[in-house]
Amino acid sequence: MPDTLRTETEAGVRSIVLARPEAYNTITPRLRDELARAIDDADADPDVRVILLRADGPAFCAGYGLDWSTEMQAEESTSDRVWDSAMDMRVMSTFVDTYMKLWYATKPTIAAVHGWCIAGGTDMVLCADMVIAGEGASFGYPPSRVWGAPTTAMWVYRLGFERAKRYLLTGDEIPAREAADVGLILECVPDDDLLDRATALARRMARVPVNQLQMLKLLCNQTAENMGLSSSRTLGTLFDGIARHTQEGRDFVTRATEAGFRQAVRERDDPFGDYGSRRRTDG
């Protein structure tokens, strides 16, 4: 049985629920594998017409589990071989291929987001066909400041060139309302209405014959494919590995090893005053 997620099916909608609330649903190899199987199973099930991705706990997904990923990179320093970019690409592609299952699934995929959805969490969720967020949700790609690049490259296809650059070249936090206003996500709703709104939209779509849903999704997605989505994704995945092995990226891992990854992240974001380093005011 999966231990990182659970699934539910009702009225033609398969809900895939990330279920590591105590860890803010951070991404691990186990979650990657279980999510891949869950999406494949939903796409193959004739009783399912729409896939709804949501999460338990205070956050949708706070990115990769930095404890295991920084430790994995730190271990490279004890190896008698230099960093292998081809091996890194193969490993990261196993994660990216899972996220892209939301995009390439023949059936529509909707994500209902609350709380944090940042870093690798955005690599995942922006592959869904539609994203609905509660007003308390926040998006962003803080690793663009150091130690990462967005692997799936969906930012450009959702936002266009200038807005994608504006957020990626700063790594700034994006509140859900702003994310909806600029087109990163479909809409922002009151937190208490999130599940009802996302479920209602999924069930409304599920009234349409599945072959119609499949044809129309493919028609829309093909535009992004014609714009070079596959090559952008390849470059994003490659650059992510390179960013983790620049001098600054290596220094970040060293600091995370010495002081803990939470402190390293805090020091990265403190100058910007957002995410966990958001400045608080009295009153």
Side-chain angles (χ1 to χ4, degrees), residues 12 37 50 55 59 72-73 77 81 83 90 100 102 104 109 123 130 138-140 163 198 202 241 266 269 271 275:
R37 287 193 293 270
V50 180
M72 183 173 65
Q73 184 171 339
S77 62
R81 293 180 59 84
W83 172 61
R90 287 196 297 273
M100 291 303 298
L102 294 166
Y104 287 117
T109 56
D123 284 335
M130 279 150 280
S138 286
F139 299 83
R163 288 196 184 276
R266 187 176 298 113
D269 295 332
Y275 302 105

Side-chain angles (χ1 to χ4, degrees), residues 14 20 43 51 57 63-64 98 113 134 178 186 208 216 219 239:
R14 172 69 53 81
R20 299 180 65 241
D43 205 29
I51 301 168
Y64 285 93
T98 292
V113 174
E178 181 179 344
L186 177 64
V208 177
L216 293 169
L219 175 64
F239 278 172

Side-chain angles (χ1 to χ4, degrees), residues 107-125:
K107 299 166 183 176
T109 56
I110 301 173
V113 174
H114 69 281
W116 294 116
C117 182
I118 58 175
T122 64
D123 284 335
M124 176 198 305
V125 82

Side-chain angles (χ1 to χ4, degrees), residues 142-175:
S144 66
R145 296 167 178 169
V146 68
W147 207 60
T151 55
T152 56
M154 285 294 184
W155 289 80
V156 178
Y157 295 92
R158 284 180 171 266
L159 289 176
F161 299 118
E162 284 191 309
R163 288 196 184 276
K165 290 175 183 177
R166 184 261 175 268
Y167 291 112
L168 292 179
L169 295 178
T170 61
D172 282 351
E173 180 181 346
I174 312 170

Side-chain angles (χ1 to χ4, degrees), residues 19 33 53 64 112 117 144 150 203 263:
D33 296 343
L53 180 66
Y64 285 93
C117 182
S144 66
R203 290 180 180 178
Q263 178 62 25

